[in-house]
Amino acid sequence: MGIAHREENFIVIELGSHTTKAVLDTTDINKLPDVVLRTRGGVLKQDASNSVPQSATDEGFGGLKEEDSKQEPGSSGIANTQDAAASTTPLHVNGIMDVDPTESTQRSSLQVEAEDEVSSVGNAAEAAATGDSGADKSQKDAEQDGNEVSYVFGSALESATSDALESTVDMIVGGFVQDWEALSAFLRHIITKELGIPISRNGNPILFSIPALWSKTDLERLAQVAFEHLNAPTIVIAEQPLAALYGNGKMSGLVVDIGHTVTTVTPVVDSCIQPSTIVQSPVAGAAVTRRLHELLEADPSVSAQFGSGAVPLEFAERLKDSGLCRLRLALTGDEEDGDEEKSASPPEFEYEGKKFRISTEILAKAPEVLVEPTEPGTMRLTLLMQQAALACDPEKRTALWENINIVGGSSRFGSLKEYLQSELEATVLPASNMFAVSQTREIRILSVPDYFVGWRNHDHWAGFLGACIMAKIIMNDAKHNITRAEYNENGPSIVHTKPS
């Protein structure tokens, strides 16, 4: 029988293309995330890694504190080029890896001595075969240490100067991991710096909430990072669409995740994701930012407020995230509402200590690209939703249309839900009645239940709420969790035997 972990030690990490969220302690389900970080890292230049201010390294450096250096063998404080080479091959060899500290005390002294003797003989044989002396080997080790890659994250990345950074890296793009070395360092940063847990004494089980389309190789690599780099005792890997449904108290529904670079529509039937029916569109939050930037640059009054006439892209991105952008409900046919919005005084928006006035027309037009994209090869959001639903069995479609979940950081635009509700009622319901393909009588877009008082006005984070609920239910369930002992015995492939 496995160890029963306490809820105050549970860690939940939701990995997103733009933002990663984390929380320690799921005892209070109304608790919002402890950590909200941009899923981006900065690669420090070799000559700058030693000159980063101590305050910056404490906040966001991908290295180790003094207590983190006393960790299990094989756990690296920061990701380096040697770790990158290792990540391309299995980290788990012949079912043996770094043992848990509690397990290591049970090993006999004779066994340790035998292993040390074998290791020393093997090292001597390797040196004799290659002709390397001890001095040569030490020199090579020093050269490898000199090639370490150091990362900064969070506030340290924001405050880092261009002279100190070699480059920046987005670890996850479009829902898929692009750089496992950087992601491993990023997760270490969250555990050690943001949550304050030394890797060597990490006894906290971790639930990872991930996109639904990760490959088997990605799942195995995540398990490797969790057990071999984060020293986790137990993990659970959950898929975000399913977590979003749980956050809204449902087991079937249509999950529309509007992220930074991709919009994903995922049908879920009876707690089972339907992979073959998932559809995606490149029109997402970044497209709104580009459209808003174009409108701002074309507006003479905005250019005049900047003096030089150039509108920074960062200004458009912050304005998009401010909550001022709001879709106009053109489908209602109420012209008076539209006239009132146009005549309303432009709202104020503060940027770098200066207040700007932006016309409501611009703020209403920018998010329209989400529902009515103009890029070639893209389709309206409602058509994307219909394509996903129609790929499911007819008898299951009613549950999908009656439980629509709109989540993701770019789903917060005002009137977006009302716009989709109106358009779907005008298109889906008549077709259902005409062709009798299903008995859909209602289009319902869900919100987080009122009894989750801490999550009011956070419908876009329903997936994270659902992940916390899943952690409370299945973290100690042997049918779903993966323990260190199971990983040691079976290797990374153990992730394919456990359902989320």
Side-chain angles (χ1 to χ4, degrees), residues 80-99:
N80 53 44
T81 52
Q82 188 174 3
D83 294 334
S87 66
T88 61
T89 58
L91 298 178
H92 186 288
V93 181
N94 297 329
I96 300 174
M97 61 161 290
D98 303 330
V99 291

Side-chain angles (χ1 to χ4, degrees), residues 421-469:
Q421 175 97 25
S422 203
E423 184 168 339
L424 288 171
E425 288 178 347
T427 55
V428 173
L429 294 185
S432 174
N433 295 332
M434 183 180 301
F435 299 105
V437 293
S438 66
Q439 298 299 316
T440 303
R441 294 292 181 266
E442 182 183 7
I443 301 293
R444 184 169 59 219
I445 298 179
L446 303 177
S447 296
V448 172
D450 293 337
Y451 48 79
F452 292 123
V453 293
W455 294 87
R456 289 175 182 172
N457 302 319
H458 289 87
D459 290 344
H460 60 292
W461 280 357
F464 189 81
L465 168 60
C468 294
I469 295 173

Side-chain angles (χ1 to χ4, degrees), residues 51-218:
S51 60
V52 177
Q54 183 63 33
S55 59
T57 59
D58 289 343
E59 294 174 1
F61 182 56
L64 282 174
K65 290 182 179 179
E66 182 179 354
E67 60 267 26
D68 294 335
S69 63
K70 303 175 183 178
Q71 56 194 16
E72 295 299 311
S75 295
S76 172
I78 63 175
N80 53 44
T81 52
Q82 188 174 3
D83 294 334
S87 66
T88 61
T89 58
L91 298 178
H92 186 288
V93 181
N94 297 329
I96 300 174
M97 61 161 290
D98 303 330
V99 291
D100 187 85
T102 59
E103 297 175 356
S104 63
T105 59
Q106 302 173 4
R107 299 166 64 199
S108 66
S109 58
L110 292 177
Q111 182 182 359
V112 174
E113 292 176 2
E115 290 177 355
D116 292 341
E117 183 177 356
V118 171
S119 177
S120 61
V121 171
N123 291 337
E126 180 183 359
T130 58
D132 290 340
S133 64
D136 293 336
K137 189 174 186 301
S138 299
Q139 183 177 358
K140 289 183 178 181
D141 291 341
E143 292 175 354
Q144 288 180 349
D145 293 340
N147 293 327
E148 287 184 352
V149 178
S150 300
Y151 296 91
V152 287
F153 307 100
S155 58
L157 175 59
E158 295 175 0
S159 61
T161 63
S162 57
D163 294 337
L165 293 178
E166 184 75 33
S167 62
T168 58
V169 55
D170 291 317
M171 286 82 79
I172 303 176
V173 177
F176 298 97
V177 179
Q178 304 297 313
D179 192 324
W180 277 102
E181 176 190 349
L183 182 61
S184 176
F186 181 58
L187 291 173
R188 290 182 66 89
H189 166 78
I190 291 176
I191 298 297
T192 60
K193 302 300 189 293
E194 301 293 340
L195 300 180
I197 301 171
I199 293 296
S200 59
R201 297 191 294 275
N202 183 14
N204 302 71
I206 306 174
L207 183 143
F208 293 98
S209 179
I210 64 168
L213 293 176
W214 275 25
S215 67
K216 290 183 178 181
T217 301
D218 287 333

Side-chain angles (χ1 to χ4, degrees), residues 148-390:
E148 287 184 352
V149 178
S150 300
Y151 296 91
V152 287
F153 307 100
S155 58
L157 175 59
E158 295 175 0
S159 61
T161 63
S162 57
D163 294 337
L165 293 178
E166 184 75 33
S167 62
T168 58
V169 55
D170 291 317
M171 286 82 79
I172 303 176
V173 177
F176 298 97
V177 179
Q178 304 297 313
D179 192 324
W180 277 102
E181 176 190 349
L183 182 61
S184 176
F186 181 58
L187 291 173
R188 290 182 66 89
H189 166 78
I190 291 176
I191 298 297
T192 60
K193 302 300 189 293
E194 301 293 340
L195 300 180
I197 301 171
I199 293 296
S200 59
R201 297 191 294 275
N202 183 14
N204 302 71
I206 306 174
L207 183 143
F208 293 98
S209 179
I210 64 168
L213 293 176
W214 275 25
S215 67
K216 290 183 178 181
T217 301
D218 287 333
L219 296 177
E220 291 178 2
R221 286 188 173 182
L222 181 60
Q224 291 175 337
V225 169
F227 286 112
E228 302 185 21
H229 293 177
L230 306 182
N231 197 30
T234 302
I235 67 168
V236 171
I237 300 178
E239 293 172 306
Q240 290 168 5
L242 191 58
L245 272 175
Y246 288 168
N248 286 311
K250 302 296 179 180
M251 292 188 294
S252 295
L254 198 64
V255 180
V256 182
D257 189 343
I258 307 175
H260 181 59
T261 58
V262 66
T263 295
T264 306
V265 182
T266 307
V268 181
V269 178
D270 297 331
S271 297
C272 294
I273 292 175
Q274 311 296 303
S276 61
T277 64
I278 298 176
V279 293
Q280 291 186 312
S281 169
V283 180
V288 178
T289 302
R290 292 192 298 269
R291 177 59 177 157
L292 181 58
H293 189 237
E294 293 172 359
L295 294 171
L296 291 171
E297 287 194 318
D299 188 278
S301 64
V302 176
S303 299
Q305 293 180 71
F306 273 96
S308 63
V311 180
L313 182 62
E314 183 186 15
F315 177 84
E317 186 166 0
R318 291 190 183 182
L319 179 60
K320 180 202 71 174
D321 296 335
S322 67
L324 295 175
C325 292
R326 186 180 185 85
L327 275 167
R328 183 174 295 131
L329 297 178
L331 292 175
T332 63
D334 192 344
E335 298 294 337
E336 293 183 1
D337 290 346
D339 293 339
E340 289 179 2
E341 288 184 11
K342 291 180 182 179
S343 60
S345 59
E348 284 189 345
F349 174 67
E350 186 171 343
Y351 175 72
E352 294 186 349
K354 182 180 178 181
K355 293 183 177 180
F356 296 82
R357 289 193 175 274
I358 311 297
S359 73
T360 55
E361 187 74 12
I362 291 178
L363 298 176
K365 281 186 176 181
E368 288 179 358
V369 70
L370 279 180
V371 293
E372 300 180 14
T374 57
E375 299 179 12
T378 58
M379 64 175 66
R380 299 172 69 91
L381 181 55
T382 52
L383 292 178
L384 204 69
M385 296 167 66
Q386 292 180 58
Q387 179 180 333
L390 290 174

